[in-house]
């Protein structure tokens, strides 16, 4: 199941990149239910566009969409390899590290701080009308 999830996370942005013929991905409406309802980005908003930018070789644009796009892409690729190795060897690899509460808390706190800063910046650079236009309500 882990391999399938990681592969989907890597494949969907690749499919979007290949089918995005007009090259105007940034103008497309987000698929994020939170952003559609509120007009505000959720902590994961921009990851897909960040992956597409990485696949296109535009790392600066990737950082613009989401700061953690590159690390998450690398982690997803590593997880495919680790889970495949676990299946092949019938051994649990890196479980003490990957399923560590300390790692989970560190990742959660880092993402929360990033999201708070990103939300403050978003609110300071967008008017209420612009925020509502990014939602489904206008």
């Amino acid at each position: 199941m882990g391999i399938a999830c990681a592969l989907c996370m890597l494949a969907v942005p690749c499919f979007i990149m290949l089918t995005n013929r007009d090259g105007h991905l940034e103008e497309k409406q987000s698929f994020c239910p939170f952003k559609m309802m509120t007009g505000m980005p959720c902590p994961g908003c921009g990851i897909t566009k960040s992956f597409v930018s990485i696949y296109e070789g535009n790392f600066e644009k990737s950082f613009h969409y989401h700061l953690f796009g590159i690390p998450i892409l690398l982690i997803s690729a590593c997880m495919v390899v680790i889970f495949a190795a676990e299946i092949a060897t019938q051994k649990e690899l890196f479980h003490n590290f990957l399923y560590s509460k300390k790692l989970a808390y560190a990742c959660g706190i880092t993402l929360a701080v990033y999201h708070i800063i990103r939300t403050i910046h978003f609110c300071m650079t967008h008017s209420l009308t612009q925020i509502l236009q990014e939602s489904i309500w206008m």
Side-chain angles (χ1 to χ4, degrees), residues 3 6 15 19 21 25 31 37 62-63 67-68 70 82 85-86 90 94-95 97 101 103-104 106 123 136:
I3 292 174
F15 175 76
T19 59
R21 294 195 177 102
L25 186 61
F31 292 119
M37 294 299 290
S62 171
F63 280 120
L67 183 65
F68 298 118
I70 292 172
I82 290 169
E86 284 184 351
Q90 296 295 313
F94 305 109
H95 273 249
F97 176 72
K101 283 186 181 181
L103 178 64
C123 290
I136 59 174

Side-chain angles (χ1 to χ4, degrees), residues 104-126:
Y105 285 129
C107 290
I109 290 168
T110 302
L111 186 59
V113 169
Y114 171 66
H115 181 61
I116 289 167
I117 293 168
R118 187 176 172 193
T119 302
I120 291 169
H121 179 265
F122 185 82
C123 290
M124 291 175 65
T125 58
H126 291 78

Side-chain angles (χ1 to χ4, degrees), residues 15-87:
F15 175 76
I16 291 171
M17 180 194 70
L18 294 173
T19 59
N20 182 34
R21 294 195 177 102
D22 59 4
H24 298 289
L25 186 61
E26 55 274 342
E27 296 170 8
K28 305 277 183 180
Q29 175 65 35
S30 175
F31 292 119
C32 175
F34 184 83
K35 187 163 187 170
M36 283 194 271
M37 294 299 290
T38 66
M40 303 287 290
C42 78
C45 276
I47 289 287
T48 304
K49 290 179 182 181
S50 178
F51 280 20
V52 170
S53 296
I54 293 167
Y55 292 156
E56 293 173 341
N58 192 338
F59 297 101
E60 185 178 330
K61 197 178 215 183
S62 171
F63 280 120
H64 168 75
Y65 286 126
H66 202 286
L67 183 65
F68 298 118
I70 292 172
I72 292 172
L73 181 111
L74 294 174
I75 290 168
S76 296
C78 287
M79 294 309 294
V80 170
V81 173
I82 290 169
F83 290 145
E86 284 184 351
I87 291 170

